[in-house]
Amino acid sequence: DTEVTQTPKHLVMGMTNKKSLKCEQHMGHRAMYWYKQKAKKPPELMFVYSYEKLSINESVPSRFSPECPNSSLLNLHLHALQPEDSALYLCASSQAQSGANVLTFGAGSRLTVL
Amino acid sequence: GQSLEQPSEVTAVEGAIVQINCTYQTSGFYGLSWYQQHDGGAPTFLSYNALDGLEETGRFSSFLSRSDSYGYLLLQELQMKDSASYFCAVRYSSASKIIFGSGTRLSIRP
């Protein structure tokens, strides 16, 4: 299995809602990432988990809360989002440490905040 | 800082060769990668350089000069399906921090 699976593909939520984005991989990768991508912009790093521990938080607002329940799963919990948070959220995985040079991306979750 | 610079747009003719350049900040540099992203799709990995020199993968090659903080992606025998955005990405530090360049939109003309 060489895929990263993200659910849902599309999500529409109000500013008071609580929702979660989910990501799963079965490639044995021990690093997992969340990126945010706006239209015609590059992916912007949000969080990195390495061996199930949060290793990088790029000063992301607390309304985004990541969780890594095990080595195959990565969640992004969303609460009290703003319309400007509407974007494509990409999950990626890679080998950890010295192998962290090749990212495998999921298809993304397109989020719209009303 | 950890900024990467690429040309915003490149246009080329089908069958031709095109080079997309990338310059980066050197602090904490671990390696340079290239990704392709079609409209509506996810980025897909193309090539990676950790050391100076040329890496060849089929029609795509990538080059790195660490002394110049510079790399490029070379696409040969261009096909219409190569029309996409191309991103360079630098791994900074051993903590798997991978930052993407601003992206180059490549348009192929018949």
Side-chain angles (χ1 to χ4, degrees):
Chain A
D1 188 351
T2 58
E3 289 188 343
V4 175
T5 303
Q6 289 188 244
T7 56
K9 292 193 186 314
H10 300 274
L11 178 63
V12 179
M13 61 186 291
M15 289 189 285
T16 59
N17 292 158
K18 285 185 180 180
K19 297 286 184 182
S20 297
L21 306 180
K22 298 184 182 299
C23 176
E24 187 170 7
Q25 58 88 15
H26 295 287
M27 294 178 281
H29 288 170
R30 300 307 295 273
M32 296 187 75
Y33 309 73
W34 282 114
Y35 283 85
K36 172 183 177 180
Q37 188 175 29
K38 293 272 205 179
K40 300 188 187 304
K41 296 291 186 182
E44 180 183 337
L45 183 64
M46 300 176 72
F47 302 103
V48 180
Y49 274 83
S50 183
Y51 295 98
E52 296 88 67
K53 294 190 187 309
L54 183 65
S55 60
I56 295 175
N57 177 341
E58 289 287 278
S59 303
V60 179
S62 60
R63 57 185 184 268
F64 296 92
S65 176
E67 178 195 21
C68 190
N70 60 54
S71 60
S72 299
L73 294 174
L74 184 67
N75 299 322
L76 186 62
H77 303 299
L78 314 171
H79 174 55
L81 294 193
Q82 304 296 311
E84 58 264 30
D85 296 323
S86 298
L88 180 68
Y89 288 84
L90 293 162
C91 173
S93 70
S94 75
Q95 295 179 18
Q97 302 299 336
S98 62
N101 305 307
V102 179
L103 297 177
T104 302
F105 281 90
S109 293
R110 188 164 297 282
L111 173 66
T112 302
V113 182
L114 301 177
Chain B
Q2 296 169 335
S3 64
L4 292 81
E5 294 190 8
Q6 306 177 230
S8 58
E9 293 184 14
V10 173
T11 301
V13 176
E14 193 174 15
I17 298 172
V18 73
Q19 178 174 313
I20 299 174
N21 299 322
C22 174
T23 57
Y24 60 87
Q25 301 289 324
T26 57
S27 177
F29 175 85
Y30 263 64
L32 180 70
S33 302
W34 290 91
Y35 290 81
Q36 177 192 62
Q37 186 176 27
H38 287 99
D39 288 346
T44 57
F45 171 80
L46 293 176
S47 189
Y48 170 73
N49 296 72
L51 302 175
D52 292 351
L54 191 68
E55 292 286 338
E56 298 181 78
T57 310
R59 294 189 297 115
F60 294 173
S61 302
S62 60
F63 173 82
L64 176 66
S65 170
R66 288 174 296 169
S67 60
D68 296 321
S69 300
Y70 163 76
Y72 65 72
L73 179 69
L74 190 73
L75 296 85
Q76 304 182 73
E77 301 172 20
L78 286 170
Q79 302 175 9
M80 297 302 292
K81 67 178 182 179
D82 297 329
S83 293
S85 292
Y86 292 84
F87 296 95
C88 60
V90 168
R91 179 182 163 206
Y92 286 106
S93 84
S94 60
S96 307
K97 182 172 183 175
I98 300 176
I99 304 298
F100 282 73
S102 52
T104 299
R105 186 165 187 86
L106 174 63
S107 299
I108 311 296
R109 293 184 286 111

